[in-house]
Amino acid sequence: MAESAEPELSIEDIEFLTIVRDVSDNPDEYDGTELGEAPATVTVITDNTSLSKSQVKYRLNSESDAGNSRGFTEDQLGYIESYGASMTEKGWGPRSCEITEKGREAVDGVTENSTLSLSTSEGVVQLGVDGTYRGTSGGY
């Protein structure tokens, strides 16, 4: 069996890529998106996910950032385009990123094909990773 060249995505990875995709697609729906070169800034991502600032920076970092990188940037897996802080009239702006087509494919493939089963008194509820209801089976 051949090994996949793509890494397995953790729940945190999926959460990160999903918010970057959503912010990239609809920046006006999120506060603070006008501050960076791309709408998905560290602050926007941390404000709209359960991820800490260090978890976000780990996913934004490139290979050249002292080896502390998840490998999502254009010089590695190519899931995101990452932008360093840029100088603004108020000082340094935030780091930001946007999702690439390859990143969209990675997160869409996971969220479309994955389910989570939760046992309830009504039976087992099947949910997609994206929260969509996929049915109930059995019961106690």
Side-chain angles (χ1 to χ4, degrees), residues 18-101:
T18 299
I19 192 65
V20 172
R21 178 196 61 198
D22 294 349
V23 171
S24 295
D25 291 348
N26 299 299
D28 294 336
E29 292 184 22
Y30 300 88
D31 291 333
T33 55
E34 70 281 351
L35 299 174
E37 286 194 43
T41 64
V42 172
T43 302
V44 170
I45 296 167
T46 56
D47 285 352
N48 291 282
T49 66
S50 65
L51 300 174
S52 69
K53 192 175 273 193
S54 64
Q55 288 175 309
V56 172
K57 287 182 178 179
Y58 172 65
R59 287 166 177 81
L60 279 176
N61 286 346
S62 67
E63 193 172 42
S64 62
D65 291 314
N68 189 18
S69 168
R70 179 64 177 96
F72 286 164
T73 58
E74 59 279 1
D75 60 344
Q76 296 167 23
L77 292 170
Y79 290 169
I80 63 169
E81 287 280 334
S82 182
Y83 304 98
S86 58
M87 184 57 99
T88 69
E89 60 189 42
K90 296 179 183 179
W92 287 102
R95 291 188 63 189
S96 60
C97 67
E98 59 188 330
I99 196 147
T100 64
E101 192 57 40

